[in-house]
Amino acid sequence: MKKTAGQFWKIGEPSVWVSSAALTLILGMTFVLLLVIMKNGLGVFWPREQVQLTLKDASVIQGAIMQRERQPLNDRQYRIQLKTGNRDLYGLDFRWLNEDDVATWERPAELTVFERKEYGNFVGYVDGLKEKGRNPIQGTAAMAQLPKALEALAPYLAREQHVDDKIMDLNGRMQHFRHALLRLEYRKKPALADRIKTAHARYDALSVEMNSLMGEQARARGDVAEFTITLRDAAGARKTRPLHEIIRYYQPNQMSWGTKLVHYASKIRELLTEDPRESNTEGGLYPAIFGTIMLVFLMSIFSFPLGLMAGIYLREYAKDNWMVRVVRIAVNNLAGVPSIVYGIFGLGFFVYGMGGFLDSWLFPERLPEPTFGTGGILWASLTLGLLTIPVVIVSTEEAFGSIPRGVREASLAMGATRFQTLIRVLLPMASPGIMTGFLLAIARAAGEVAPLMITGVVKLAPALPLDGAAPYIHLERKFMHLGFHIYDIGFQSPNVEAAKPMVFVTALLLILIVLVMSSLAIWFRESMKRKHSMRTH
């Protein structure tokens, strides 16, 4: 039967078509966003071929071609962007060139990329090498000797690292001992005079040990500094640097696919396990990954139980009166409050309020140096917990509200108490819906940045909130976060072009972490749903 125009509008088909179109548009935009991030993020660590260009003015430039586009003022001509490296020679490591200015193109097999701890990559050749206790090597023989020189340097680096670790451990012990000494002196009791005197003597002994270690560290660094390397670019400019600054080197123009895959895997391992360097534009993201996961974990501990209990109380126990209705309206409105407002509240209430109270109560001897009265992962987690609690409350109420009233009446008629009905019948049935709300809370908390910027996140954290030093969990410490890392390198980095690849890599990594957490929560939700359906059948 053919539908009339009035029937077409009455049955709601336009709304269905509009909703379908909106959903398709949203999914398409999401898919395009993921494609852009993956395209620009997955290829960052792949070793690109290096070209050596001789320009018409006889100057020589080398580097990897990053982009090729039409010239803005003449669309018949093209220009290329080269990542030239060698920032310590020329002050920049990216350069645009018109293709018409290039006289010859070459791809020398021996052109080498050196990844360094400072100043980014160096593209060029080894021109000289100096090892401890040996005569310098010049020219092409230096490149052949480079692997042996790095092997000879390794024991000295291991010794230096061992001394640095001992100094770090001693620093931690001295700081802990200093705090204990401050506590004894703060109490100002005559009976503690002998203990204070003994403590001062032990602290002086630790200081003597620290001075000895500092001398040993200076000697170790002196030995390491005797290994140097002289690098030369294609134009003939030279730079002599300590050999220990070379992290790795490779010759991409003669690398096979297998060798490139091994290099790519090593860069991924570095990304996941090492600390950042070069103003966070190079190196790894391990502290930011760790901080993000720990933040979400602590936030879940704080927000999920409170949100669950509040939702259960509002739906199952609270009477339907004007006060409950006002509370529900307030909860719904809180879910739409901008996150920066929560950050300001967290700064005032948690950091300055509760943190200042804890410092004056538990650590008065350390004042005016704050312990909890400054930003840290504890206050950031509590702030995000407040931000996500409304989502958990609403989802919990909706999940319990979707259960038919007859289920409750049947359980009570069988002799179960109200609490038994809640725990054994209603909560298992509502758990999939509750987990859905918890999923939304995790996804939102993992990507929030604004509240964290004023409650504890930093550009570079010297120590993790969780380590092997007592008390092992340091909730007062500041931390790194992937979301803030994206903001920092994307908008605060002085070298925009060098930072751009790491922006996509970090964004891709953050999306993967959210997907993994969400997948685990979905798996847990589905397993509970299957378990409940088996019980009912």
Side-chain angles (χ1 to χ4, degrees):
M1 182 176 178
K2 189 175 181 180
K3 298 178 183 178
T4 65
Q7 290 175 330
F8 179 79
W9 287 98
K10 285 182 180 180
I11 62 178
E13 279 200 30
S15 300
V16 175
W17 283 101
V18 170
S19 300
S20 301
L23 179 61
T24 303
L25 179 63
I26 292 172
L27 291 177
M29 293 172 63
T30 304
F31 185 68
V32 170
L33 175 64
L34 290 176
L35 280 181
V36 171
I37 293 176
M38 292 177 65
K39 177 181 179 297
N40 292 276
L42 292 176
V44 169
F45 300 132
W46 190 259
R48 296 173 179 263
E49 287 190 349
Q50 302 291 316
V51 297
Q52 184 169 303
L53 309 179
T54 302
L55 305 185
K56 293 179 179 179
D57 61 1
S59 60
V60 181
I61 301 173
Q62 79 289 309
I65 299 177
M66 307 301 294
Q67 299 182 56
R68 183 176 183 266
E69 61 181 33
R70 296 181 185 272
Q71 292 188 22
L73 301 179
N74 188 351
D75 59 1
R76 295 184 179 181
Q77 297 178 349
Y78 287 85
R79 65 175 185 171
I80 57 175
Q81 185 192 43
L82 283 180
K83 183 178 181 180
T84 58
N86 307 0
R87 191 189 312 152
D88 48 342
L89 290 177
Y90 305 108
L92 50 87
D93 47 8
F94 286 87
R95 180 172 174 179
W96 284 97
L97 291 174
N98 295 329
E99 287 189 351
D100 293 344
D101 296 334
V102 180
T104 60
W105 299 64
E106 297 178 88
R107 287 177 172 81
E110 65 275 9
L111 195 58
T112 309
V113 178
F114 299 89
E115 293 186 17
R116 303 181 293 177
K117 295 180 181 179
E118 295 180 352
Y119 301 109
N121 294 345
F122 190 99
V123 183
Y125 310 90
V126 178
D127 196 60
L129 200 61
K130 174 68 173 64
E131 300 181 44
K132 176 180 170 60
R134 295 189 177 184
N135 294 326
I137 303 174
Q138 304 293 335
T140 56
M143 183 65 190
Q145 188 65 25
L146 181 56
K148 294 183 179 179
L150 291 172
E151 185 178 350
L153 175 63
Y156 293 97
L157 288 177
R159 178 189 166 203
E160 182 186 22
Q161 184 63 46
H162 178 67
V163 175
D164 290 344
D165 291 341
K166 288 172 65 176
I167 290 177
M168 185 178 299
D169 178 66
L170 186 58
N171 268 327
R173 288 163 52 197
M174 290 181 69
Q175 183 178 11
H176 180 75
F177 200 78
R178 185 175 69 87
H179 289 160
L181 187 58
L182 286 173
R183 180 175 291 271
L184 287 174
E185 293 177 342
Y186 180 79
R187 295 165 67 180
K188 296 180 180 179
K189 293 184 179 180
L192 298 176
D194 292 338
R195 291 179 59 184
I196 293 175
K197 185 176 180 180
T198 303
H200 273 292
R202 292 181 60 187
Y203 188 82
D204 292 341
L206 290 176
S207 299
V208 172
E209 184 179 355
M210 174 62 76
N211 291 333
S212 175
L213 284 175
M214 294 296 287
E216 187 177 350
Q217 182 189 55
R219 290 189 294 272
R221 289 182 175 177
D223 291 338
V224 169
E226 291 193 34
F227 289 80
T228 61
I229 184 171
T230 301
L231 302 175
R232 172 178 56 84
D233 72 347
R238 291 171 172 78
K239 194 72 175 181
T240 300
R241 301 293 299 174
L243 183 59
H244 71 87
E245 290 188 359
I246 304 297
I247 298 173
R248 63 171 61 86
Y249 66 94
Y250 55 96
Q251 296 174 325
N253 292 347
Q254 55 180 333
M255 292 173 70
S256 63
W257 273 86
T259 309
K260 289 184 177 181
L261 283 174
V262 172
H263 174 87
Y264 189 85
S266 69
K267 294 290 289 184
I268 296 296
R269 181 198 62 79
E270 179 186 58
L271 179 74
L272 300 178
T273 60
E274 299 292 336
D275 293 341
R277 62 178 189 274
E278 287 288 315
S279 298
N280 291 346
T281 61
E282 298 285 347
L285 294 174
Y286 174 71
I289 297 171
F290 188 90
T292 303
I293 295 176
M294 186 171 180
L295 176 75
V296 173
F297 179 75
L298 291 176
M299 180 275 301
S300 303
I301 293 176
F302 296 140
S303 67
F304 185 69
L306 291 177
L308 179 63
M309 289 187 292
I312 291 174
Y313 176 78
L314 289 175
R315 176 59 63 175
E316 299 297 321
Y317 290 94
K319 295 181 180 180
D320 189 14
N321 52 36
W322 68 269
M323 183 176 291
V324 173
R325 287 193 290 272
V326 169
V327 170
R328 284 199 176 99
I329 293 173
V331 169
N332 291 328
N333 289 336
L334 283 174
V337 172
S339 59
I340 189 63
V341 176
Y342 284 96
I344 295 173
F345 174 81
L347 178 66
F349 181 76
F350 291 128
V351 178
Y352 294 150
M354 294 183 61
F357 171 74
L358 288 176
D359 282 350
S360 60
W361 179 35
L362 299 177
F363 310 103
E365 70 280 356
R366 303 185 192 180
L367 294 175
E369 178 186 348
T371 302
F372 281 95
T374 183
I377 194 169
L378 173 63
W379 307 134
S381 302
L382 287 174
T383 302
L384 283 189
L386 286 180
L387 186 145
T388 54
I389 276 179
V391 180
V392 179
I393 293 175
V394 171
S395 64
T396 301
E397 279 204 83
E398 292 297 328
F400 276 90
S402 64
I403 301 174
R405 185 177 181 84
V407 174
R408 297 172 176 82
E409 295 174 349
S411 177
L412 295 173
M414 294 294 291
T417 64
R418 195 171 185 181
F419 182 74
Q420 289 174 330
T421 300
L422 173 66
I423 298 300
R424 299 184 180 181
V425 179
L426 301 181
L427 192 58
M429 293 180 67
S431 56
I434 296 172
M435 289 302 299
T436 300
F438 187 52
L439 270 171
L440 297 175
I442 288 178
R444 182 179 182 185
E448 284 292 349
V449 176
L452 305 181
M453 293 172 65
I454 51 179
T455 55
V457 75
V458 290
K459 177 185 177 74
L460 184 63
L464 297 176
L466 180 67
D467 57 22
Y472 310 113
I473 300 178
H474 309 274
L475 298 179
E476 78 283 1
R477 286 183 180 175
K478 299 184 185 298
F479 65 102
M480 295 181 66
H481 186 270
L482 288 172
F484 181 76
H485 190 83
I486 295 172
Y487 164 77
D488 176 60
I489 60 179
F491 299 97
Q492 303 294 315
S493 176
N495 194 344
V496 178
E497 290 295 336
K500 189 186 300 182
M502 189 59 74
V503 171
F504 289 105
V505 171
T506 310
L508 180 60
L509 192 57
L510 180 58
I511 290 174
L512 290 177
I513 289 177
V514 173
L515 286 177
V516 169
M517 290 182 172
S518 301
S519 300
L520 291 175
I522 291 172
W523 172 81
F524 189 58
R525 182 188 66 184
E526 294 301 318
S527 65
M528 289 191 298
K529 186 184 294 186
R530 288 193 300 269
K531 184 178 180 180
H532 173 68
S533 62
M534 291 175 61
R535 284 183 177 179
T536 55
H537 293 298

